[in-house]
Amino acid sequence: MPARKLLPIAWLVALLVAPAAIWAGGGRQALLDNRPKTAFPAKNIKSLRHDATYRQFDAAFFERLPVRARALSIHGKIAVDLFHDSSAPDVVLGHHGYRYFTPGTRTCGDSPPAHDPADAAQILALTLVAAGKRALVLEPADKLFIHPQDVPAGADGLERLACARALQAQVEQRLLATKGGGSIDEALRTLEAGGTPTYLKTDTHWNGTGRLIYIRRVLDALRPGLSGQMGVGLGPQYDRQGDLNSMLGLISTTERDRLVVARRPASPPFAPGEALVVGDSQTERSFTDPLPGNAPPLAQTALKGVTFCSIPHVIDMTCDQAILRARSMVVESVGRNLIDFDTMCGRPVGLLAARLTGPRGSYRSADDRPRPDAEQVRIGEAGTDTVTLRAPGGDAAPYPRLIRLPIVRNPKGGGVAMTQQPRTGLAAPCQGAAGGSMVLAVPAHRKLSDLPIVLQATAGVVLGAPRTIALDGSPAPRAATREHR
């Protein structure tokens, strides 16, 4: 057979048969994408009749081929190096080797925040302070806003860049003006202006210099002067695989980064539960992820006793006891997640407010008129009641407030739900429920009469008089045990 006729056969063997043989021999492709691999479909008479079964099998099989990583890497190199074109829709190729993550502008996307993220961040910070904690709430800006000089003009996916930048700046300024709030953005921008990068080129996360700024700020928030006492600084260099390169398929391309090390552990050590740090992947990279060579991270070597919780752990309530016990607490959530911040902040606000109290308020009708049962709400057979709230100090206040609605009777032990129906503007953020209470967090200058709430519960549930907790930067009175059971 002529050699040219053998070429298609050889190509088929190289393309399919050889990888399949390696797979059959036990070779498997490691996880490349930021998601689980597609599962193999169920195999039965019914499923074999549907095209979707074969499409799922096709995806599951090819995701496990042991040469898939090499194929993606070749595809990524051709797209990036030859055509200077991104092979991933969420990655923009910037100048001088920088990559940018387009979801960094999603705060101004087709579904904007349902709540004012500046209000949410402020309310969380002031709630921690009201609960008597040393507090620091941070919303670090996305790389798009810290290292903007290499963002290509008019890049696809970054049409809302100016809007997202303005929203980030609004949240930063609010936190800087709030007790318990803060920012590291200006420190990062100052270094960048002097020619010192703070973000990795091929990653969504800080480099060692950026992490050092963040780590020092966290440590000194947990205990004043702690970063100096621990001798925290930059350590050896190492090679890091950038997550944006991974999205492009460039899995064998790395860049140099530096460790952040502590020369001494915290002294005295933190008592278990004394301090809590809540954060996203920036916090994990800085404190809890294993280091090169599988070396133990900073959290294990120098910060024993400090609890670290991811934001999903706050949402699913597995961090509740740590939130209640901590005397010092830091919360970090990167700026591109501003749109989701309200999903997290309701849990700590509800938990902590359930243990606080303040002057009694009253209930009014849905149209803000007096009602005969102003001191309590009794849910009747309809299972619902719509009310507005009245608080001492007036319909609006110059500072945020928490309005706690204690559930004083629940004969059937069912759930109680609260839904806002704002007359104008956005809903109030950080609504929570815990400890036998519903909590409405009201932003500064927001009128209570503008926030009717619908209460839903089984008949017989009774809510007591609302209690107003002023978030004015001072610790709030503790509630009696019977009030937050």
Side-chain angles (χ1 to χ4, degrees), residues 20-31:
I22 297 172
W23 183 85
R28 293 294 185 273
Q29 172 56 52
L31 187 65

Side-chain angles (χ1 to χ4, degrees), residues 9-164:
I9 299 174
W11 177 251
L12 180 65
V13 170
L15 188 66
L16 291 176
V17 178
I22 297 172
W23 183 85
R28 293 294 185 273
Q29 172 56 52
L31 187 65
L32 294 179
D33 306 309
N34 191 21
R35 61 173 179 83
K37 292 177 182 175
T38 303
F40 281 102
K43 295 178 284 294
N44 53 57
I45 296 298
K46 186 176 180 180
S47 68
L48 293 176
R49 297 174 183 171
H50 298 287
D51 291 343
T53 299
Y54 299 96
R55 288 195 296 271
Q56 183 178 341
F57 179 85
D58 180 72
F61 176 72
F62 279 99
E63 285 177 14
R64 288 163 172 78
L65 284 182
V67 296
R68 179 171 177 255
R70 177 57 57 190
L72 289 175
S73 182
I74 293 172
H75 176 263
K77 283 183 176 296
I78 292 172
V80 174
D81 295 341
L82 185 59
F83 297 105
H84 195 68
D85 185 31
S86 174
S87 56
D90 285 342
V91 181
V92 166
L93 304 184
H95 307 303
H96 304 107
Y98 273 86
R99 326 289 196 209
Y100 293 94
F101 193 45
T102 59
T105 65
R106 71 191 186 105
T107 48
C108 291
D110 296 330
S111 300
H115 312 81
D116 185 332
D119 284 340
Q122 180 182 44
I123 284 169
L124 177 59
L126 289 173
T127 298
L128 301 182
V129 172
K133 300 182 186 294
R134 284 184 51 84
L136 176 62
V137 174
L138 297 168
E139 286 275 5
D142 192 86
K143 177 173 157 183
L144 286 163
F145 313 125
I146 297 297
H147 188 95
Q149 58 267 38
D150 286 308
V151 178
D156 291 341
L158 299 182
E159 297 83 3
R160 301 181 176 95
L161 195 60
C163 169

Side-chain angles (χ1 to χ4, degrees), residues 104 107 139-142 145 168 280 332-339:
T107 48
E139 286 275 5
D142 192 86
F145 313 125
Q168 172 68 38
D280 53 23
E332 173 269 325
S333 180
V334 71
R336 66 175 171 269
N337 294 330
L338 285 173
I339 196 169

